[in-house]
Amino acid sequence: ITCRAEDATTISLLKEVDNHENRIAATTERSFLDVVDHLSPWSGRPPVAGLMSPPDLEKGDKLWHFRGLLATPDGSRVLIVNEKLHHSHCNEAGALNLGREAATKL
């Protein structure tokens, strides 16, 4: 969700419904897809997927896991990238960079 930076009322309402984990996951996945779209040699969007999963802090896991996939339009070749982000570095900037870096590795 986006809103105008000067709209304090809407920003206040959005903070009440914001979910940190969902925002981090969506930021990573969208940045991955944006870069793949710009680097793809094919017209249109090729088969592409990205999934960012949060750590299970209760079990002592401290790493977010990202898995990205890019396939040729005919499915004859599939590239997969796996990346991790430590929970202590998990903010929007870190998520944005992780998605971008993962896409460029494909």
Side-chain angles (χ1 to χ4, degrees), residues 30-52:
R30 288 177 182 159
S31 66
F32 174 77
L33 296 175
D34 287 346
V35 172
V36 167
D37 279 348
H38 287 84
L39 295 177
S40 172
W42 307 289
S43 61
R45 177 175 274 176
V48 61
L51 178 64
M52 181 71 148

Side-chain angles (χ1 to χ4, degrees), residues 17-91:
V17 297
D18 181 48
N19 180 286
H20 175 75
E21 288 184 353
N22 289 343
R23 184 168 21 93
I24 295 302
T27 299
T28 306
E29 294 161 4
R30 288 177 182 159
S31 66
F32 174 77
L33 296 175
D34 287 346
V35 172
V36 167
D37 279 348
H38 287 84
L39 295 177
S40 172
W42 307 289
S43 61
R45 177 175 274 176
V48 61
L51 178 64
M52 181 71 148
S53 303
D56 188 343
L57 297 175
E58 291 180 6
K59 292 184 178 178
D61 186 13
K62 303 258 191 234
L63 298 175
W64 285 71
H65 298 271
F66 177 77
R67 181 177 170 106
L69 177 144
L70 173 65
T72 56
D74 65 0
S76 63
R77 188 165 178 218
V78 177
L79 302 173
I80 296 172
V81 63
N82 290 292
E83 295 293 325
K84 296 176 183 171
L85 181 65
H86 194 274
H87 187 67
S88 64
H89 301 290
C90 196
N91 54 41

